[in-house]
Amino acid sequence: MADSIMSKAATMEIPINSNGDSRTLGEDDGLEQATHWNLDEKLMVCPPCLQKDLQQVMVSGPNLNETSIVSGGYGGAADGIIPTSSIKGPAIRYNPEYLGRRKSAEPKEAPSMHLSNSNPSMMAEEATRGVAVEKFDSVKKWGINTYKCTKQMFSERFGRGSRTVDLELETQIDLLRDTKSKYESVLRLASSLTSHFYNMVQTQQALGDIFADLSQKSPELQDEFGYNAETQKLLCKNGETLLGAINFFVSSVNTLVNKTMEDTLMTIKMYENARLEFDAYRADLEELGAGPRDAGTMVRIEMAQQQYQVQREKYERLRSDVSIKLKFLEENKVKVMHKQLLLFHNAISAYFAGNQQQLEQTLRQFNVKLKPPGSDKPSWLEEQ
């Protein structure tokens, strides 16, 4: 019975009317509509990637016009094959309304990409604009401050403006500047003494070498040349020791003058600039206070009061710093110069008295270390 059913199903023919026009057949119309809705449902369910693949398969798949329909059973004759090129009407149709809805529902990436690309440039432009505005504000503040300070300075020079004066502090500053000038003179003369004495020691050394050479080549004057050679060599040795003491004195005075005093004078210069700014803003506030009191003037007076308070705090802070540094500088100056002046006196006295032991003891007392002979000369590797 099963064999008869299979043979009957195999030999069934698909009814074709009007040369394969499937529109006149109810069953074919139902098949076409079912196929159409099934495809629409698959498109709606599938994700975008599968929808694209399905569209590509529909476009690049086999052409229905090139297929054939077998009307006979298996192994039938060739005349049972009916070409489908003669069948009119679409077998599968797309739904344009759905495709339009699907395209509109897809996320738009172009605008977001455009925004993401434009964000860095916009941020860089805003950062550049912010830096330019900040520089402009700083230049503006600097210009206003410079104008006020210049005006105050000329007013003081011509006796039109008043200035804040601390008599005790001003006296100490003037004394420091006078002391620094005199110490610079001492430093300059001590350096000159070192240079001249160094040349003398070099001359004594050369003279001692010549006396020693003549003592060997002149038998009749050997003793006389020998005595003088020994004397010059001894003087040269003591001169090198004295040079060590003088160089130590010059180095200590140079540190005191060009580092310690100079640092204090730099703080004094900052204090004087702060004093000038303080007086300039004070005069500006007094000038505004003497004028009319309208709404705009009250705002300017309030801003001037704030700036005046800032400059006053800066001025008082630097004045306190100057007072402290002047106090410590005076203590340091007395301590350093007491030691250096005692060293200079004892070394000079011992040298010209010919007391070699006292000279060496003086250097040991003040922890002065002498450089070994020839240490200032470059090595033979450096000369290559």
Side-chain angles (χ1 to χ4, degrees):
M1 182 175 183
D3 294 336
S4 62
I5 293 173
M6 291 296 295
S7 61
K8 183 177 180 180
T11 56
M12 288 179 63
E13 295 181 356
I14 298 175
I16 302 299
N17 188 16
S18 300
N19 197 13
D21 191 359
S22 61
R23 295 179 184 179
T24 59
L25 299 178
E27 296 178 358
D28 292 344
D29 290 339
L31 178 61
E32 178 182 349
Q33 292 177 1
T35 304
H36 175 70
W37 288 108
N38 290 335
L39 289 175
D40 288 346
E41 292 176 0
K42 291 180 180 180
L43 288 174
M44 292 174 65
V45 174
C46 293
C49 60
L50 297 179
Q51 294 175 9
K52 293 181 180 180
D53 296 339
L54 184 57
Q55 291 177 5
Q56 292 177 0
V57 170
M58 290 180 180
V59 174
S60 61
N63 191 356
L64 295 178
N65 294 330
E66 297 177 357
T67 58
S68 60
I69 299 176
V70 181
S71 60
Y74 295 106
D79 55 356
I81 299 175
I82 302 174
T84 58
S85 59
S86 61
I87 300 176
K88 298 180 180 180
I92 299 176
R93 293 193 299 272
Y94 296 100
N95 189 351
E97 296 180 357
Y98 168 72
L99 293 178
R101 292 194 304 270
R102 186 176 63 83
K103 290 181 179 180
S104 62
E106 290 180 354
K108 297 181 179 180
E109 299 178 356
S112 61
M113 293 176 62
H114 177 71
L115 291 176
S116 62
N117 292 332
S118 62
N119 283 335
S121 61
M122 292 176 62
M123 294 175 61
E125 184 178 357
E126 291 179 358
T128 305
R129 188 183 299 110
V131 172
V133 171
E134 184 178 356
K135 289 184 178 179
F136 177 77
D137 292 340
S138 62
V139 171
K140 182 179 178 181
K141 292 179 181 179
W142 174 83
I144 295 174
N145 187 49
T146 303
Y147 168 75
K148 291 182 179 181
C149 294
T150 305
K151 180 181 177 182
Q152 177 66 22
M153 183 177 60
F154 279 105
S155 299
E156 293 176 1
R157 292 283 179 88
F158 293 103
R160 298 176 182 175
S162 60
R163 63 188 300 265
T164 303
V165 179
D166 189 340
L167 294 177
E168 182 180 358
L169 191 61
E170 293 291 337
T171 303
Q172 294 178 2
I173 292 174
D174 292 338
L175 180 61
L176 172 61
R177 286 173 175 160
D178 183 66
T179 303
K180 184 175 183 293
S181 177
K182 292 180 179 179
Y183 274 51
E184 287 175 346
S185 298
V186 171
L187 180 61
R188 182 174 61 255
L189 293 174
S191 299
S192 178
L193 175 63
T194 304
S195 177
H196 293 314
F197 194 77
Y198 174 78
N199 293 329
M200 187 185 73
V201 170
Q202 294 297 318
T203 303
Q204 289 175 343
Q205 183 177 2
L207 188 61
D209 293 339
I210 291 177
F211 284 160
D213 184 59
L214 290 174
S215 134
Q216 296 177 359
K217 294 181 179 180
S218 302
E220 64 280 4
L221 298 174
Q222 182 177 7
D223 294 338
E224 290 79 0
F225 278 122
Y227 295 150
N228 283 277
E230 292 179 358
T231 302
Q232 294 300 322
K233 289 181 180 180
L234 180 61
L235 290 174
C236 180
K237 181 179 179 181
N238 294 338
E240 291 178 351
T241 306
L242 179 61
L243 276 176
I246 298 177
N247 285 329
F248 186 75
F249 173 81
V250 170
S251 176
S252 300
V253 175
N254 180 64
T255 302
L256 178 64
V257 172
N258 293 324
K259 290 186 178 180
T260 309
M261 290 185 177
E262 189 65 27
D263 178 70
T264 305
L265 289 174
M266 287 295 296
T267 307
I268 292 174
K269 185 177 180 180
M270 294 172 60
Y271 157 75
E272 292 177 345
N273 292 335
R275 197 275 312 162
L276 183 62
E277 293 179 355
F278 168 70
D279 286 336
Y281 282 94
R282 177 182 55 81
D284 188 21
L285 181 61
E286 292 176 355
E287 183 179 356
L288 290 174
R293 298 297 184 93
D294 55 357
T297 306
M298 293 303 297
V299 174
R300 294 176 58 187
I301 291 175
E302 184 178 357
M303 295 178 60
Q305 182 70 31
Q306 295 177 359
Q307 294 175 353
Y308 166 78
Q309 190 66 27
V310 172
Q311 296 299 329
R312 181 179 179 180
E313 293 176 358
K314 180 180 178 182
Y315 165 73
E316 292 178 352
R317 183 179 68 253
L318 287 173
R319 182 177 61 179
S320 176
D321 293 343
V322 170
S323 300
I324 294 174
K325 284 196 172 184
L326 286 173
K327 180 181 178 180
F328 285 131
L329 175 62
E330 185 65 24
E331 296 176 357
N332 188 26
K333 182 191 69 174
V334 172
K335 181 179 179 180
V336 170
M337 292 308 299
H338 174 75
K339 177 181 178 180
Q340 295 302 320
L341 291 173
L342 188 61
L343 167 66
F344 189 82
H345 173 268
N346 292 343
I348 293 290
S349 300
Y351 173 80
F352 285 99
N355 192 344
Q356 181 181 1
Q357 295 180 353
Q358 182 66 29
L359 181 61
E360 294 178 352
Q361 183 180 357
T362 300
L363 267 67
R364 288 194 299 268
Q365 179 183 355
F366 292 96
N367 298 322
V368 179
K369 296 181 180 180
L370 298 178
K371 296 182 179 180
S375 60
D376 295 336
K377 298 180 180 180
S379 64
W380 65 272
L381 288 175
E382 296 176 349
E383 292 178 353
Q384 299 300 324

